[in-house]
């Protein structure tokens, strides 16, 4: 009953999926104790942030049927908002909240403007306009280097409780020091969990049902008396706000905000890929997809390097397997999964019964 | 004989399409407004020619995309890949033929360039055909999947360029006789920009004639207006579409060669970068309209050049502002296509 409330009545509906979700949840919740080492914990924190980021994108793509290429822009606004505010005001909690408020306001205003401006027309129109706006924003962020640090981005210090030097308890617990890094991780983890459950609540509410109706047949939804423009714009704003919060979490974790980690088109591509592979139109897809994808990204690239070095004698093949060509294989995987697995991993698991 | 005469006169009396003039006036008004702001006439001439040259190149790249969209309701987000591939294919001819390129003879220079353009258009045309067959065909009528698939196709193509040509930038110097500028009065005009303007005009006029004076053009225009009716009359619109797709891809390849020579360096991402401008252009022009695309391309390029001179900081977002302004005036673009 309790679980029913927490998951908003949206159960995994597949044993394998439920098991996978439990493994991911347990793995992330206990990551600092299970997997020691800076790299493992970094991967875990990135997964937490990406689950929220991808879930918020799925609200647009999977539930409402809108393709946006500006999601990294909102993510970037969140990261830069917190980052620049900590950089200029100094490492206090006040600065964090100021940055968060300002960036949320900016994101909402932009999402509202873009939405009202272009969501009246077709999905394709919105895709083009967001692509243009997002690339202009990325150029702006790297050009205004006095303010944003340009291509190098900004490194900043976080409030004292979140610094690695800070000790909550002197003794180690299960061989892990209870320091500021651990606190930051749990801040990221619980914020991500809360945001994810909130999104789950949203998509299973009457509001979420209307969004799905718009996705299936917007003309019919309009005829039933729902103002589709209003619903689409609201979904857009909600998704943008969540992405902003995800960006802020990422900035707190990395203690850095720069164009490569937040605004680059590669990240947009990652988001698209995770949504499609995990399964469009189901938030659990973002959990499974993000976990699989980021693990592969962090540990498979090493494998590719080995293969490439091993094949150095074969010119073209070595190039194909070079770690920098990671995106090539992602692209192929992406096209194939749109064709053959449009419902993604979650859809496959659910239909298997 | 007597019966044909009234029919003929009835034909002649068909009302001509009214020309929609306000969008045509935007360009000269913009150019005239910019003159007092810039202040110096020679600078204005240089900027205007630069804008026109850039606009022509963007038009060449955008025209195929807007036609494909108008005809078959397919928006190819991977169009930029053809631009990059075209430019990189040209290096296959231009780099080994440095001798002809460096020669101090307009004829040899032109021959090398012509060969490069021909090869680039051939390769991108074939690639367009394959792209249509393999990638686009299974997703007709599904916008969401089209956007995702063509975007994925573009990433793959961009990465394949890296695989074939390596990860570095490739410098592509202009042929000797097209370098430098000529002086008209006090205004310096780069020779290559004049060539770009000429090529752009040729493409536009050729396209205009084909669309308005030939049977194929008639069918294409009819297909844009109402595809089902054209099919019902017994024409295979599929074949028409493949033809337009191939032609559009080849034009993107031509645009890529011109753009690559203009920038004098090639990167695999150049197609993706220029696509942002191309999308703005076809939105401004009205999705599916070639005339609108032409005016839109020139507008975007002129505004970018003027703004770059007058207020470099604003130049970064000038295209977006222009798009917003145009869409507030005409929400469907300058020349909305009837059915949408």
């Amino acid at each position: 009953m309790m679980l029913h409330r927490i998951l908003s009545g949206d159960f995994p509906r597949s044993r394998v999926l439920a098991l996978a979700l439990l493994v991911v949840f347990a793995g992330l919740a206990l990551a600092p104790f299970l997997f020691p080492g800076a790299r493992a914990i970094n991967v875990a924190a990135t997964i937490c942030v990406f689950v929220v980021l991808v879930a918020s994108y799925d609200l647009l793509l999977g539930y409402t049927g809108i393709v946006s290429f500006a999601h990294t822009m909102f993510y970037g606004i969140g990261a830069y908002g917190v980052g620049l505010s900590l950089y200029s005001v100094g490492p206090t909690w006040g600065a964090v909240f100021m940055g968060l408020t300002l960036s949320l306001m900016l994101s909402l205003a932009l999402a509202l403007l873009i939405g009202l401006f272009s969501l009246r027309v077709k999905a394709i129109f919105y895709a083009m306009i967001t692509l243009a706006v997002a690339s202009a924003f990325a150029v702006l962020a790297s050009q205004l280097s006095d303010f944003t640090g340009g291509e190098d981005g900004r490194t900043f210090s976080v409030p004292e409780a979140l610094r690695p030097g800070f000790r909550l308890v002197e003794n180690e617990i299960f061989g892990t020091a209870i320091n500021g890094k651990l606190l930051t991780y749990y801040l990221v983890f619980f914020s991500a969990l809360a945001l994810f459950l909130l999104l789950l609540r949203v998509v299973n509410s009457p509001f979420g049902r209307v969004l799905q109706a718009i996705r299936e047949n917007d003309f019919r939804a309009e005829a039933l008396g729902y103002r589709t423009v209003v619903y689409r714009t609201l979904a857009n704003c909600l998704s943008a706000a969540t992405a902003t919060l995800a960006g802020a979490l990422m900035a707190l974790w990395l203690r850095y905000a720069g164009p490569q980690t937040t605004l680059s088109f590669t990240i947009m591509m990652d988001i698209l890929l995770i949504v499609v592979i995990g399964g469009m139109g189901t938030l659990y897809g973002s959990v499974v997809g993000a976990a699989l994808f980021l693990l592969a990204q962090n540990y498979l690239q090493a494998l590719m390097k080995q293969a490439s070095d091993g094949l150095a004698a074969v010119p073209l093949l070595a190039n194909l397997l070079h770690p920098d060509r990671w995106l090539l294989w992602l692209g192929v995987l992406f096209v194939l999964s749109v064709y053959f697995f449009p419902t993604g991993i979650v859809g496959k698991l659910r239909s298997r019964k | 004989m007597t019966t044909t005469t009234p029919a003929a006169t009835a034909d002649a009396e068909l009302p001509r399409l009214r020309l929609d003039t306000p969008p045509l006036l935007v360009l000269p008004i913009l150019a005239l407004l910019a003159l007092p702001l810039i202040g110096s006439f020679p600078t204005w001439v240089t900027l205007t020619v630069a804008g026109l040259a850039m606009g022509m190149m963007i038009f060449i790249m955008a025209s195929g995309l807007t036609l494909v969209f108008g005809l078959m309701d397919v928006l190819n987000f991977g169009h930029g890949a053809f631009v990059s591939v075209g430019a990189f294919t040209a290096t296959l001819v231009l780099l080994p033929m440095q001798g002809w390129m460096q020669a101090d003879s307009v004829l040899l220079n032109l021959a090398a360039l012509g060969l490069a353009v021909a090869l680039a258009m051939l390769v991108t045309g074939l690639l367009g055909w394959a792209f249509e067959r393999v990638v686009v065909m299974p997703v007709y009528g599904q916008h969401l999947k089209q956007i995702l698939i063509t975007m994925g196709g573009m990433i793959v193509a961009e990465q394949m360029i890296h695989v074939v040509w390596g990860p570095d930038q490739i410098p592509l110097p202009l042929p000797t006789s097209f370098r430098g500028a000529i002086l008209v009065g006090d205004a310096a005009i780069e020779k290559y920009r004049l060539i770009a303007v000429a090529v752009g005009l040729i493409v536009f006029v050729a396209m205009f004639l084909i669309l308005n004076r030939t049977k194929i053009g008639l069918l294409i225009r009819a297909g844009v207006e109402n595809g089902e009716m054209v099919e019902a009359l017994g024409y295979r619109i599929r074949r028409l579409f493949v033809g337009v797709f191939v032609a559009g891809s080849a034009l993107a390849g031509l645009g890529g060669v011109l753009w690559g020579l203009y920038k004098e360096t090639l990167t695999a991402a150049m197609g993706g970068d220029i696509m942002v401008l191309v999308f703005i252009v076809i939105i401004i022009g009205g999705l599916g309209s070639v005339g609108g695309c032409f005016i839109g391309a020139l507008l975007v390029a002129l505004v970018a050049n003027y703004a770059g001179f007058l207020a470099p900081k604003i130049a970064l977002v000038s295209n977006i502002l222009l798009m917003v302004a145009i869409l507030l005036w005409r929400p469907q673009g300058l020349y909305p296509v009837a059915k949408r």
Side-chain angles (χ1 to χ4, degrees):
Chain A
M1 227 32 224
M2 175 79 179
L3 201 61
H4 190 271
R5 290 288 303 261
I6 292 176
L7 295 182
S8 314
D10 187 356
F11 288 103
R13 298 207 308 274
S14 151
R15 272 204 203 126
V16 186
L17 178 61
L19 195 68
L21 287 172
L22 266 180
V23 169
V24 173
F25 176 74
L28 289 178
L30 301 172
F33 301 99
L34 289 177
F35 317 106
R39 180 162 183 193
I41 187 104
N42 195 21
V43 172
T46 316
I47 292 178
C48 290
V49 172
F50 264 70
V51 166
V52 175
L53 184 62
V54 172
S56 64
Y57 189 70
D58 199 28
L59 181 66
L60 276 187
L61 181 67
Y63 282 90
T64 323
I66 303 172
V67 186
S68 156
F69 287 108
H71 213 58
T72 44
M73 178 173 84
F74 299 120
Y75 182 57
I77 289 176
Y80 271 106
V82 168
L84 293 179
S85 148
L86 279 173
Y87 179 81
S88 48
V89 177
T92 58
W93 286 105
V96 174
F97 287 112
M98 191 186 85
L100 210 56
T101 324
L102 286 179
S103 52
L104 271 177
M105 273 157 55
L106 179 63
S107 278
L108 283 176
L110 271 175
L112 195 69
L113 264 180
I114 301 177
L116 284 180
F117 200 67
S118 57
L119 280 174
R120 308 178 158 271
V121 209
K122 292 184 146 192
I124 223 150
F125 211 71
Y126 185 71
M128 287 192 288
I129 288 187
T130 49
L131 188 70
V133 172
S135 70
F137 190 84
V139 173
L140 211 63
S142 67
Q143 290 294 317
L144 297 175
S145 46
D146 296 339
F147 181 53
T148 62
E151 283 296 321
D152 297 333
R154 284 275 191 242
T155 312
F156 48 88
S157 14
V158 289
E160 207 203 332
L162 301 180
R163 285 184 215 155
F166 176 80
R167 287 291 163 101
L168 191 66
V169 190
E170 274 309 314
N171 305 329
E172 295 193 343
I173 297 180
F174 301 122
T176 310
I178 309 298
N179 59 12
K181 196 78 186 162
L182 192 87
L183 284 183
T184 320
Y185 178 77
Y186 278 108
L187 176 70
V188 170
F189 174 76
F190 283 111
S191 313
L193 188 66
L195 283 171
F196 180 78
L197 292 177
L198 184 76
L199 281 175
L200 206 59
R201 180 69 257 176
V202 168
V203 297
N204 288 296
S205 66
F207 173 75
R209 290 284 177 271
V210 177
L211 293 186
Q212 281 163 319
I214 293 174
R215 174 192 69 191
E216 293 303 326
N217 191 334
D218 59 343
F219 186 66
R220 200 161 170 182
E222 184 93 54
L224 285 172
Y226 297 106
R227 298 281 305 275
T228 51
V229 185
V230 175
Y231 278 90
R232 277 183 174 142
T233 311
L234 273 179
N236 196 30
C237 290
L238 198 62
S239 159
T242 319
T244 310
L245 291 174
L249 287 178
M250 199 65 198
L252 280 180
W253 173 254
L254 290 176
R255 282 172 278 155
Y256 165 78
Q260 281 310 312
T261 53
T262 55
L263 291 171
S264 80
F265 193 70
T266 325
I267 297 193
M268 193 62 239
M269 213 39 223
D270 292 350
I271 298 175
L272 270 172
L273 198 73
I274 298 174
V275 169
V276 170
I277 290 180
M280 286 187 271
T282 150
L283 289 185
Y284 292 122
S286 66
V287 181
V288 181
L292 270 182
F293 179 86
L294 287 162
L295 285 176
Q297 191 177 38
N298 278 279
Y299 296 102
L300 218 67
Q301 272 178 316
L303 218 66
M304 277 177 78
K305 182 162 168 46
Q306 282 176 7
S308 172
D309 291 346
L311 288 166
V314 194
L316 204 63
L317 211 58
N319 264 348
L320 276 175
L321 291 174
H322 193 276
D324 287 351
R325 296 291 80 76
W326 162 249
L327 210 53
L328 170 68
W329 298 103
L330 284 191
V332 172
L333 190 65
F334 179 74
V335 173
L336 291 180
S337 41
V338 174
Y339 277 142
F340 300 112
F341 310 103
T343 52
I345 297 174
V346 172
K348 274 274 162 213
L349 287 178
R350 278 184 174 169
S351 65
R352 218 178 50 160
K353 285 294 164 199
Chain B
M1 287 304 274
T2 44
T3 49
T4 54
T5 331
T9 45
D11 248 6
E13 279 163 13
L14 263 178
R16 288 182 61 82
L17 271 177
R18 264 191 310 121
L19 193 64
D20 187 7
T21 38
L24 294 175
L25 296 177
V26 174
L27 268 181
I29 290 174
L30 177 79
L32 285 179
L33 273 182
L35 182 53
L37 284 176
I38 292 167
S40 125
F41 185 69
T43 320
W44 179 78
V45 171
T46 309
L47 284 175
T48 307
V49 172
L52 288 180
M54 188 177 156
M56 291 294 180
M57 285 185 267
I58 297 175
F59 164 71
I60 293 175
M61 291 182 254
S63 55
L65 191 64
T66 197
L67 254 189
V68 167
F69 182 81
L71 191 60
M72 225 56 179
D73 204 16
V74 169
L75 190 61
N76 182 6
F77 271 73
H79 198 69
F82 301 125
V83 173
S84 308
V85 169
F88 274 81
T89 311
T91 61
L92 292 180
V93 175
L94 292 180
L95 292 183
M97 292 177 71
Q98 277 304 324
W100 284 21
M101 292 286 284
Q102 304 301 338
D104 199 16
S105 136
V106 181
L107 224 59
L108 279 183
N109 287 170
L110 268 182
L113 216 54
L115 219 63
V117 165
L119 183 72
M121 289 182 74
L122 185 73
V123 168
T124 47
L126 282 175
L127 193 71
W129 181 73
F131 199 78
E132 200 277 334
R133 273 287 137 111
V134 179
V135 178
V136 183
M137 200 158 74
V139 286
Y140 276 133
Q142 301 161 276
H143 273 165
L144 198 81
K145 282 193 173 179
Q146 272 168 22
I147 299 175
L148 296 179
I149 291 253
T150 51
M151 203 74 192
M154 168 140 142
I155 301 285
V156 173
E158 215 170 74
Q159 293 294 316
M160 282 311 284
I161 291 177
H162 278 308
V163 171
V164 177
W165 278 279
D168 303 320
Q169 293 190 352
I170 297 183
L172 189 65
L174 274 172
T176 339
S177 45
F178 302 150
R179 275 185 224 144
I182 46 174
L183 281 177
V184 179
D186 288 333
I189 297 173
E190 280 182 39
K191 288 183 201 164
Y192 184 68
R193 288 182 175 156
L194 288 180
I195 294 177
V197 171
V199 174
L201 275 180
I202 292 171
V203 169
F204 178 66
V205 170
M207 218 165 175
F208 187 81
L209 288 180
I210 289 175
L211 282 177
N212 289 302
R213 294 277 185 277
T214 66
K215 179 153 184 192
I216 290 188
L218 184 70
L219 286 176
I220 292 176
R221 282 185 297 136
V224 171
E225 290 290 328
N226 190 342
E228 276 174 16
M229 188 53 97
V230 176
E231 265 187 318
L233 290 173
Y235 295 100
R236 294 197 188 170
I237 203 160
R238 274 277 321 148
R239 284 194 189 168
L240 207 61
F241 177 57
V242 174
V244 170
F245 200 99
V246 168
S249 312
L251 279 177
L254 169 65
V257 179
L258 291 176
W259 188 249
L261 281 168
Y262 184 64
K263 291 268 163 198
E264 301 201 56
T265 42
L266 303 183
T267 59
M270 62 185 275
D273 295 341
I274 196 80
M275 277 320 277
V276 173
L277 278 184
V278 167
F279 281 140
I280 293 179
V281 162
I282 64 175
I283 290 177
I284 287 181
L287 292 171
S289 150
V290 174
C293 170
F294 185 69
I295 296 178
L298 294 182
L299 262 180
V300 164
L302 278 180
V303 167
N305 272 284
Y306 292 147
F309 178 78
L310 290 171
K313 290 276 183 214
I314 298 178
L316 298 168
V317 287
S318 65
N319 295 318
I320 307 274
L321 294 180
L322 176 71
M323 179 170 76
V324 169
I326 298 273
L327 289 183
L328 286 177
W329 175 37
R330 294 199 163 180
Q332 303 277 332
L334 289 178
Y335 284 112
V337 173
K339 80 175 164 188
R340 268 172 283 275

